[in-house]
Every structure is written in C-alpha cells, then in structure tokens.
Amino acid sequence: MKRIFLALSLLALISCGQDKEPKEVTVEETKQFDTVDVHSFAKRWEARVQHLDLDINVDFDAKQISGFAEWTLSENPTADSIFFDLDEIEIKNVWADGQETKWTVGETDPVKGQPLVVHFPEGTQKIKIEYVTAPSAAALQWLDPQQTHDKKHPFLFTQSQAILARTWIPCQDSPGIRYTYNAKVTVPKGMMALMSASNPQEVDPDGVYEFEMPQPIPSYLMALSVGDIAFASMGERTGVYAEPGMLEASAYEFADTEKMLEAAEALYGAYAWGRYDLIVLPPSFPFGGMENPRLTFVTPTVVAGDRSLTSLIAHELAHSWSGNLVTNDTWNDFWVNEGFTVYFERRIMESLYGRDYSEMLATLGHQDLEETVADLPKEDTHLKLDLKGRNPDDGLTDVAYEKGYFFLRLLEETYGREKFDTFLKNYFQSNAFKTMTTEKFMAILDSNLLATDSTLIASVNPEEWVYGPGLPNNCPRVTSERFQRVNSTLKAWADGAFSFDEMETSDWSSHEWLHFVRHLPDTLSLDRLAVLDEHFHFTTTGNSEVQAAWLTYSIQKGYEPAFPAAEEFLIRVGRRKFLTPLYKALIAEDPTKEKARAIYKKARPNYHSVSQETIDAMLK
Ligand code: BES
Ligand code: ZN
C-alpha cells in the first residue's frame, strides 16, 4: 500500500510540475485525493466544488446555451484560486459571493482545452460564472427537424463523457470531483427539457424546467435533452421518453426494464437514485447508450421490435452502481467503470433470461476482445492505462469492457460465485459516492476476496491482468451451446450438405444471427451471398446489429446489392460502433478512399462531433 501512495505522490508531483504555478503535493494530500487527473486543469487538492446551481437558456436559432453556473466551493480550500476546465466556452463575467472578482483564461491545450482560473477572497463560498457556449461545442448536437425521427421539431442532446462537459458548462471536469446540482433550464415553448436529475413527465407551457440532483455526481454525468418529447410509464420506478412517433415502440422494446432494476438490486444492493428512466434519442446519438443518472440516453438502433438488444439497457442500468456510485478516479481507470458494468450487465441478463442467453453475450464479447487485442498496440491492451497527452477516447476500447469482464469472471470462477457476490456487494456499499483508482481496487481485492484463500492468488495473477498486455492464458473459457448449434448449421450449409429450407433457424435470436453472419466463410461466392440474402433478408433486416455486420461483410466481399443499403445506413445512423467498421471496409475495398469520402460527405452533417472526429481521422 505504501508503495502505491509513494508512486501516486510522485505522479502528482510530475504532473504539477507542468502547471504554471507548481505546487508540491504532500503524501498526506495524495492519500486524501489519491491521484491527479491528467485530463483536467482542476487542482482538487487545493480548491474544489461541491454544488452547482445552473441557470441556462437554450437558443436553437443561435445554437447556443447561455447563462450562469454558480458553484459552491468545498469547505476549507487551501488556495485562493480555483481552476475550472473550459473548451470553446466564452466567459462573460465571474463573481465571488456576489462581488466581481479577478479571473483569467489560460492557454489552450490540444486535449484539455483551457483553464479558467478564478481568484477569490478568503472565506468565499460561491463562484458565479456567466458564459455562453459555441455553436460548435463538442458535447452538443443541434438537430434540424429532418434529422429527428418525427421530422417536425428541432432537437438538442448532450454527450459529456469523457471530457466534453467543459464544452457546455464551465466545470471541474474530472471524474474524481463530485457535486450535487440544481438547474433551471429555459427552452422554446412547446418543448420538453430533461436532465440527469429529477425530471418532468409533461411539457411546461412556459418552457421553464427545474431540476434537482441531490446525489453528488461527477461532471461527465451532466446531461441535457431538449425536443418534442413524450413520456410513457413502464413500471413503478421506470419509464421511457421519446419523440412521440417512437414512444410506443420504445415502451414495448424496453418493457422488462423494471424487472432488470429488481434483478440488479437483488444482486448488489438498493438502487440509489430514485427513478430510472430512459430516453430514446434520434439516430445520430454517437453511442449505444450513456448512463446519465436517473435518465439513460439510448440509441434508437436498439429498438429492434423484438426486445433482442436490451442487454444495452442492463448495461446502462448497471452503471448506476459501477460508474455512477463507484466512479473511476481518472480516465486511466476507465476499466473500473466499464469492466464491472459488463460483468454486472451479464449477471442481470442471466438472471432474467438464463445462462445460455448470457453465455451468448459473453461469447460475442470474447470475439470482440480477441479482435481488439490483435489490432491494438500492446500498451493499450493493459487494463490500467496511461493516457497522458492523449484523448481519453483512445482508452475507449473493448479492453476496458471485455478484458475487464473476463478478469472479474475469473475471480468469480476461482473464488466461487457466492463469495464473489458478497465481495462485490460490499464493494459497492462501502465505496458508494466515492472514486476508485485501479490501485485502490487492487488493495481492496487483496484484503477482502483474495485474503479469503491465499492459495488461489497465484492461479489468478491479478497483476498480470491489470498491468500486463493482452489476454492472459488463464482467461475463462466461454462455451455457448446455442452458438455451437449455429456453427454446425453454418458449416453443413457451407459444405453444401443442405439447403436453407432444411436449416433449423426458427428459434434463433438476433444473437445467433449475429454469430452466423460473423462466421460466414471467406470463400462464399457472390451467388451464394445473394441466395442467403434473399432467404434471410439481411440487407434490409430491422435488427441493426445483424444489419451492420452483414453490410460490413458485404462491402468486404464486394456484394453490390447491399451497397445502397449500406449508404443509407451510414447517412441515417450516427452510432460510432457501427460506422467505424463500415468505413474501414469501404476504405479496404477502395484504398483511394473516394467511395468512402463520397458517402461521408452526405453523412457527416448528421453525425455528432464524437463520430465526426473518429471518421475525419480515418478519411483524412
Ligand atoms: N459510458 C459508456 C459510453 C461512453 C464511454 C461514452 C466513454 C463516452 C466515453 C456506455 O455505458 C457504454 O459503454 N455504451 C456502449 C454500450 C454497451 C452495451 C457496451 C456503447 O455505446 O456502445
Ligand atoms: Zn458502459
């Protein structure tokens, strides 16, 4: 343990050395705050916030948010200035307890943006900042009516994780800093506003909404959605918001949400956030889901009509414990959020739909992981990352999710489910509303679970999993009988043993179909692909996972009948996970990139900045 703190204080010293006003961090201070976040200017050991009162106006014409962020300082700061993070935000004025005060905006760092330094007299409690966002603010996507599902009204949504909150609120944008918040948000009349907080269920005639988040959260969980939005209840504590034209389908798709919530609580303890609602966003939402507290943001591409892609809801719900309750201290510890969440997600799915269902998910995860590990440079395959000088987005890979998952699964299998569940339940309870570094987790693991049977530690080798590259040899094996059946069916068909009519596929879920498409042999002729498509309608399937995999495969194989659908998909959908392999396939097929660029030209205006940035880099 001592060794860890020494290393941490060293880290703190090094990173402080690069700030303009170097300050030594004592070992005592690092004990309190553990580490320094290389992605934030905030010096949390000097001065930090504990509450936010936000009062903002949303202007669709100017594509701007403007207003006031009033921060209550934590008690007893050790400095007379506080550092906030900013990116592209224009600061109008700053007050310390109602008096104008001295402030400066520092130089721009290519990853972090700018520091806002506010000086304040001793004893100051509140820092009030007047500001306006830029139309290009990276967290915000302003959609024209035709970019929405119903095509009638404009729409705005935010995506703050990892470090984009600073583009719409001047804040200490570091996951290790938590605060409670109240907000007043004024929007055009007729529109609804929702946040990661207590939410309305009806439109306010004046367009003025008040929100409350009484539990302390980190800035990356700040979220706002504004649009023509309606609500449907799904259970006592659960409901779904969507554009009116998507509401019924969404409520049908996610009808098991309340059951998931109950299953999650039965596993790892009471849900801490009051209600759990979903909002189904327009198709440009760059992620599958985002665990904004009390209100998960969801891509419409999981509204498949058959409830087959709802593990995503289990995932975002699980973040209410792993992530939102126990939070990665910095983005180098991202696996502590995502690895635990994938583990928890699969336990929820197992308890609702059985082991053979969750084993399909684990198998697909294992496939993703093997591909990712093969593609990434070695140092990016560690669980604990070192992202100094890089965008935290670089750490957003299957390693955090799936290697993290398999590490926890190994612990479960080694120590037994009962012991492991007790350990996890205690872990969430004793670290609720706190941050977690990888090192702290390793220490907790050591003195709790591992200490129950020290003879087993060597067989796990936690250090290799966390600080070493690739996938260790003791990675748990996953076997999915349902997928084995798919394998033999596929093989028999590919070998010409029988035709489709003889294939037993009537009870296949979309996971089986995804596995099927992922394992189509490389050698199939275009004629056989056409026959396959004619029979199973992959090109036009409403299941986005199967469709995206098929379209990617079709581009790789030069199966032209699927090209128009691929183009349509790329223009309509902005979910980055689907876009990347599709563009990659287009580039491989036409290395001049002309084809990919021609489609991107039409599609780019529909994408959120998160996706734009990724595809820009691929096509430059
Ligand atoms: N919190 C993540 C999304 C995220 C991570 C956004 C890092 C920005 C930076 C969310 O919980 C997530 O993991 N979403 C996945 C779906 C999930 C089922 C694996 C996604 O969007 O694909
Ligand atoms: Zn997640």
Coordinates of all heavy atoms in Angstrom, one line a residue, residues 159 161-162 220 285-291 311-313 315-316 319 331 334 338 341-342 345 393 396 401 575-577, ligand 1:
Q159 N -23.6 15.0 -24.9 CA -22.8 13.8 -24.6 C -21.6 14.3 -23.9 O -20.7 14.9 -24.5 CB -22.5 13.0 -25.8 CG -21.5 11.9 -25.6 CD -21.9 10.9 -24.5 OE1 -23.1 10.5 -24.5 NE2 -21.0 10.5 -23.7
Q161 N -19.5 12.6 -21.5 CA -18.3 11.7 -21.3 C -17.5 11.6 -22.5 O -18.1 11.6 -23.6 CB -18.8 10.3 -20.9 CG -17.7 9.4 -20.3 CD -18.2 8.0 -20.0 OE1 -19.3 7.5 -20.4 NE2 -17.4 7.2 -19.3
A162 N -16.2 11.6 -22.5 CA -15.4 11.7 -21.3 C -15.1 13.1 -20.8 O -15.4 13.5 -19.6 CB -14.1 11.0 -21.4
Y220 N -18.9 14.3 -15.9 CA -19.2 13.6 -17.1 C -20.6 13.1 -17.2 O -21.1 12.6 -18.2 CB -18.1 12.5 -17.4 CG -18.3 11.3 -16.6 CD1 -19.1 10.2 -17.1 CD2 -17.6 11.1 -15.4 CE1 -19.2 9.0 -16.4 CE2 -17.8 9.9 -14.7 CZ -18.6 8.9 -15.2 OH -18.7 7.7 -14.5
F285 N -27.3 9.8 -32.3 CA -26.6 9.6 -31.0 C -25.4 8.7 -31.2 O -25.5 7.6 -31.7 CB -27.6 9.0 -30.0 CG -27.0 8.9 -28.6 CD1 -26.6 10.0 -27.9 CD2 -26.9 7.7 -28.0 CE1 -26.0 9.9 -26.7 CE2 -26.3 7.6 -26.7 CZ -25.9 8.7 -26.0
P286 N -24.2 9.2 -30.8 CA -23.0 8.5 -31.2 C -22.7 7.2 -30.5 O -21.8 6.5 -30.9 CB -21.9 9.6 -30.9 CG -22.4 10.4 -29.9 CD -23.9 10.5 -30.1
F287 N -23.4 7.0 -29.4 CA -23.1 5.7 -28.6 C -24.4 4.8 -28.6 O -25.4 5.3 -29.0 CB -22.7 6.1 -27.2 CG -21.4 6.8 -27.1 CD1 -21.3 8.1 -26.9 CD2 -20.2 6.1 -27.4 CE1 -20.1 8.8 -26.9 CE2 -19.0 6.7 -27.3 CZ -18.9 8.0 -27.1
G288 N -24.2 3.6 -28.1 CA -25.3 2.8 -27.9 C -26.2 3.3 -26.7 O -27.4 3.5 -26.8
G289 N -25.5 3.6 -25.7 CA -26.2 4.1 -24.5 C -25.2 5.0 -23.7 O -24.0 4.8 -23.8
M290 N -25.8 5.8 -22.8 CA -25.0 6.6 -21.9 C -25.7 6.7 -20.6 O -26.9 7.1 -20.5 CB -24.8 8.0 -22.5 CG -24.0 9.0 -21.6 SD -22.3 8.4 -21.3 CE -22.0 8.9 -19.6
E291 N -25.0 6.3 -19.5 CA -25.6 6.1 -18.2 C -25.9 7.3 -17.4 O -25.6 7.4 -16.2 CB -24.7 5.1 -17.4 CG -23.3 5.7 -17.0 CD -22.2 5.6 -18.1 OE1 -22.5 5.4 -19.3 OE2 -21.0 5.6 -17.7
S311 N -29.8 -6.0 -23.7 CA -28.6 -6.1 -22.8 C -28.0 -4.7 -22.6 O -27.3 -4.4 -21.6 CB -27.6 -7.1 -23.3 OG -27.1 -6.7 -24.5
L312 N -28.2 -3.8 -23.6 CA -27.7 -2.5 -23.5 C -28.4 -1.7 -22.4 O -27.7 -1.0 -21.7 CB -27.9 -1.7 -24.8 CG -27.4 -0.3 -24.9 CD1 -26.5 -0.1 -26.1 CD2 -28.5 0.7 -24.8
I313 N -29.6 -2.0 -22.1 CA -30.3 -1.3 -21.0 C -29.7 -1.9 -19.7 O -29.5 -1.1 -18.8 CB -31.8 -1.5 -21.1 CG1 -32.4 -1.1 -22.4 CG2 -32.5 -0.8 -19.9 CD1 -32.2 0.4 -22.7
H315 N -26.9 -2.9 -19.3 CA -25.5 -2.3 -19.1 C -25.6 -0.9 -18.5 O -25.0 -0.6 -17.5 CB -24.9 -2.3 -20.5 CG -23.5 -1.6 -20.5 ND1 -22.3 -2.4 -20.4 CD2 -23.1 -0.3 -20.5 CE1 -21.3 -1.6 -20.4 NE2 -21.7 -0.3 -20.4
E316 N -26.4 -0.1 -19.1 CA -26.5 1.3 -18.6 C -27.1 1.3 -17.2 O -26.7 2.1 -16.4 CB -27.3 2.2 -19.6 CG -26.8 2.2 -21.0 CD -25.4 2.4 -21.2 OE1 -24.7 3.0 -20.3 OE2 -24.8 2.0 -22.2
H319 N -24.5 0.6 -14.6 CA -23.7 1.8 -14.3 C -24.2 2.5 -13.1 O -23.5 3.3 -12.5 CB -23.6 2.7 -15.5 CG -22.5 2.4 -16.5 ND1 -21.2 2.2 -16.1 CD2 -22.5 2.2 -17.8 CE1 -20.4 2.0 -17.1 NE2 -21.2 2.0 -18.2
W331 N -9.5 8.8 -16.2 CA -9.8 8.0 -17.4 C -8.8 6.9 -17.6 O -9.0 6.0 -18.4 CB -10.0 8.9 -18.6 CG -11.1 9.9 -18.4 CD1 -11.0 11.2 -18.3 CD2 -12.5 9.5 -18.1 NE1 -12.3 11.7 -18.0 CE2 -13.2 10.7 -17.8 CE3 -13.2 8.3 -18.0 CZ2 -14.5 10.8 -17.5 CZ3 -14.5 8.4 -17.7 CH2 -15.2 9.6 -17.5
F334 N -10.6 3.7 -16.5 CA -11.8 3.5 -17.2 C -12.4 2.1 -17.0 O -13.6 1.9 -16.9 CB -11.6 3.9 -18.6 CG -12.9 3.9 -19.5 CD1 -14.0 4.6 -19.2 CD2 -12.9 3.1 -20.7 CE1 -15.1 4.5 -20.0 CE2 -14.0 3.1 -21.5 CZ -15.1 3.8 -21.2
E338 N -16.2 0.3 -16.8 CA -16.8 -0.5 -17.8 C -16.7 -2.0 -17.6 O -17.6 -2.7 -17.9 CB -16.3 -0.1 -19.2 CG -16.6 1.3 -19.6 CD -18.1 1.7 -19.7 OE1 -18.9 0.7 -19.8 OE2 -18.4 2.9 -19.7
T341 N -19.2 -3.0 -15.2 CA -20.5 -2.9 -15.7 C -20.9 -4.0 -16.7 O -22.0 -4.5 -16.7 CB -20.6 -1.5 -16.4 OG1 -20.4 -0.5 -15.4 CG2 -22.0 -1.3 -17.0
V342 N -19.9 -4.4 -17.5 CA -20.2 -5.6 -18.4 C -20.5 -6.8 -17.6 O -21.4 -7.6 -17.9 CB -19.1 -5.8 -19.4 CG1 -19.3 -7.1 -20.2 CG2 -18.9 -4.6 -20.4
E345 N -23.9 -6.3 -16.1 CA -24.9 -6.4 -17.2 C -25.2 -7.9 -17.5 O -26.4 -8.3 -17.6 CB -24.3 -5.8 -18.4 CG -24.9 -6.2 -19.7 CD -24.0 -6.0 -20.9 OE1 -23.1 -5.1 -20.9 OE2 -24.2 -6.7 -22.0
D393 N -10.7 9.3 -25.2 CA -11.4 8.5 -26.1 C -10.5 7.3 -26.6 O -11.0 6.2 -27.0 CB -11.7 9.3 -27.4 CG -13.1 9.1 -27.8 OD1 -14.0 8.9 -27.0 OD2 -13.3 9.1 -29.0
L396 N -11.1 4.1 -24.9 CA -12.5 3.5 -25.1 C -12.4 2.3 -26.0 O -12.9 2.4 -27.2 CB -13.4 4.6 -25.6 CG -14.9 4.6 -25.2 CD1 -15.6 5.8 -25.9 CD2 -15.6 3.4 -25.5
Y401 N -13.8 -3.0 -21.5 CA -15.0 -3.6 -21.3 C -14.9 -5.1 -21.1 O -15.3 -5.7 -20.1 CB -15.9 -3.4 -22.6 CG -16.5 -2.0 -22.7 CD1 -15.7 -1.0 -23.2 CD2 -17.8 -1.7 -22.3 CE1 -16.1 0.3 -23.4 CE2 -18.3 -0.4 -22.5 CZ -17.4 0.6 -23.0 OH -17.9 1.8 -23.1
R575 N -24.2 6.1 -34.9 CA -23.6 5.3 -33.8 C -22.2 4.8 -34.2 O -22.1 4.0 -35.1 CB -24.5 4.1 -33.4 CG -24.1 3.4 -32.2 CD -25.1 2.3 -31.9 NE -24.6 1.4 -30.9 CZ -25.2 0.3 -30.5 NH1 -26.3 -0.1 -31.1 NH2 -24.7 -0.5 -29.5
R576 N -21.2 5.3 -33.5 CA -19.9 5.2 -33.9 C -19.4 3.7 -34.1 O -18.7 3.3 -34.9 CB -18.9 5.9 -33.0 CG -17.5 5.9 -33.4 CD -16.7 6.9 -32.6 NE -16.6 6.5 -31.2 CZ -15.9 7.1 -30.3 NH1 -15.1 8.1 -30.7 NH2 -15.8 6.7 -29.1
K577 N -19.9 2.9 -33.1 CA -19.5 1.5 -33.2 C -19.9 0.8 -34.5 O -19.2 -0.1 -34.9 CB -20.3 0.8 -32.0 CG -20.1 -0.7 -32.0 CD -20.9 -1.3 -30.9 CE -21.9 -2.3 -31.5 NZ -22.6 -3.1 -30.5
Ligands
BES1 N1 -20.4 5.1 -20.7 C1 -20.4 4.3 -22.0 C2 -20.3 5.2 -23.2 C3 -19.1 6.1 -23.2 C4 -17.9 5.7 -22.7 C5 -19.2 7.4 -23.8 C6 -16.8 6.5 -22.8 C7 -18.1 8.2 -23.8 C8 -16.9 7.8 -23.3 C9 -21.7 3.5 -22.1 O1 -22.0 2.9 -20.8 C10 -21.4 2.3 -22.9 O2 -20.5 1.6 -22.6 N2 -22.0 2.2 -24.1 C11 -21.8 1.1 -25.0 C12 -22.9 0.1 -24.9 C13 -22.7 -1.0 -24.0 C14 -23.8 -2.0 -24.1 C15 -21.3 -1.7 -24.2 C16 -21.9 1.7 -26.4 O3 -22.3 2.9 -26.5 O4 -21.6 1.1 -27.4

